[in-house]
Amino acid sequence: LTTAAALLLAVIVTVLEVFYKRVAARNACILMLESQVYINVLATIFTMMGMWINNDFKALREEARIFDKGSSSYTVVLISGAVSWQFCFLGTVGLISLASSLIYAVLMTASLPVVPILAVFFFHDSFSALKAMSMLLSIWGFASYSYGAYLDSKVAPPQ
């Protein structure tokens, strides 16, 4: 399932890049924001349908009731999380439209080792061998891409 999600994300960012480069060249900013709204509305509809089918709205009320800081703080956490994700997605779309989906993938891969390290320091999370292996693989991938780009820049004549 994780591999399928990664492949779906790769397809989505590639299609977005093609869309922005070919279709949205004239009104890039407006079209970028419109596409962001459409994608998020569609995602919200699918998420709400899944929550309705699984009766997760009752579980949200229960989670809010037992939240340590109170139900109003729980609501603030949910809303601030949703808003911060919207900024993340907007930055993603901006990066794809202004640079490329490859740069997005490289930066995403480079940020992967940072999250477990921050979790260990701030949340005192355990650092398992699986986390260490995944961090090493993502660092290796980023280093391989960086070295390949370096070699390509040495071979290619300046433009």
Side-chain angles (χ1 to χ4, degrees):
L1 196 59
T2 303
T3 306
L7 287 173
L8 182 62
L9 179 65
V11 168
I12 288 172
V13 297
T14 306
V15 167
L16 278 174
E17 180 182 10
V18 169
F19 174 73
Y20 291 137
K21 298 293 184 207
R22 293 194 181 160
V23 177
R26 284 168 259 127
N27 296 327
C29 186
I30 293 170
L31 230 50
M32 184 174 68
L33 291 174
E34 283 181 1
S35 66
Q36 180 73 17
V37 168
Y38 296 143
I39 290 169
N40 289 332
V41 166
L42 191 64
T44 300
I45 289 171
F46 279 117
T47 303
M48 299 288 269
M49 285 174 33
M51 289 180 70
W52 179 69
I53 290 169
N54 288 331
N55 289 326
D56 284 341
F57 291 109
K58 292 177 185 175
L60 277 177
R61 283 191 209 107
E62 181 64 24
E63 285 179 7
R65 188 182 65 74
I66 62 173
F67 190 65
D68 290 341
K69 307 291 184 196
S71 62
S72 60
S73 295
Y74 182 80
T75 305
V76 168
V77 167
L78 286 181
I79 291 172
S80 62
V83 169
S84 64
W85 274 110
Q86 292 308 308
F87 283 121
C88 175
F89 293 141
L90 188 61
T92 298
V93 169
L95 184 63
I96 292 169
S97 68
L98 296 174
S100 72
S101 58
L102 180 62
I103 296 296
Y104 165 73
V106 167
L107 291 177
M108 195 167 129
T109 303
S111 69
L112 284 176
V114 175
V115 174
I117 292 170
L118 292 176
V120 167
F121 285 122
F122 291 111
F123 300 120
H124 308 291
D125 196 22
S126 65
F127 193 75
S128 64
L130 183 63
K131 284 183 187 176
M133 181 61 75
S134 65
M135 282 180 52
L136 287 174
L137 286 174
S138 65
I139 291 170
W140 180 27
F142 179 69
S144 297
Y145 173 80
S146 299
Y147 184 66
Y150 168 74
L151 290 178
D152 288 344
S153 70
K154 284 184 78 171
V155 172
Q159 296 177 356

